Amino acid sequence: MREDSARQIEDSKGQQTESERLHTLFRAYWTYNLDEYPELSTYTGDPGRNHRWTDHSLEAYERRSREMEIPARVLATIDRAALSAADQVHYDLFRRNVEESPLWARQKSSR
């Protein structure tokens, strides 16, 4: 996830509901994944990335590994208790997805 998207969500605390902030995080994370993995974009029918391939360079892997900290950091700014029951489940599943990502595990182990 891009730092600029993260900052916008973090800065929206108190200006948007926690649910709005959570769903903005979901959209930003989804867009990030479509940008980083254009084959996913093609597979899901999202237009505009069909001319690209995933960057498998060492630099890209290292950058994506560093960027895996961002969604977890943003999620931590969202008050889970202020969410509806359904959004609490979405929050928990998203947190689990981020924390169980191989890139997140590699990023945490490099600290």
Side-chain angles (χ1 to χ4, degrees), residues 10-109:
E10 291 168 331
D11 292 345
S12 71
K13 189 158 186 78
Q15 299 169 9
Q16 292 183 326
T17 67
E18 296 301 280
S19 179
E20 290 170 330
R21 295 177 67 236
L22 180 67
H23 287 271
T24 301
L25 171 60
F26 292 162
R27 282 190 300 277
Y29 188 71
W30 178 247
T31 300
Y32 171 82
N33 278 295
L34 294 177
D35 289 341
E36 288 298 316
Y37 306 101
E39 298 90 346
L40 174 64
S41 180
T42 301
Y43 179 77
T44 60
D46 191 73
R49 297 174 184 92
N50 294 346
H51 63 287
R52 296 181 40 229
W53 293 100
T54 298
D55 183 353
H56 290 289
S57 68
L58 180 58
E59 294 81 13
Y61 276 104
E62 289 172 348
R63 178 183 48 76
R64 285 192 292 265
S65 181
R66 286 189 309 273
E67 290 170 344
M68 277 309 298
E69 173 271 334
I70 297 172
R73 186 189 79 217
V74 173
L75 189 65
T77 72
I78 296 172
D79 181 4
R80 184 183 179 280
L83 299 171
S84 68
D87 275 346
Q88 286 181 1
V89 172
H90 298 149
Y91 178 104
D92 293 342
L93 291 172
F94 184 80
R95 183 181 65 212
R96 180 178 174 199
N97 183 50
V98 168
E99 290 175 352
E100 290 185 359
S101 163
L103 289 175
W104 171 253
R106 189 173 11 184
Q107 194 267 343
K108 280 179 55 177
S109 69

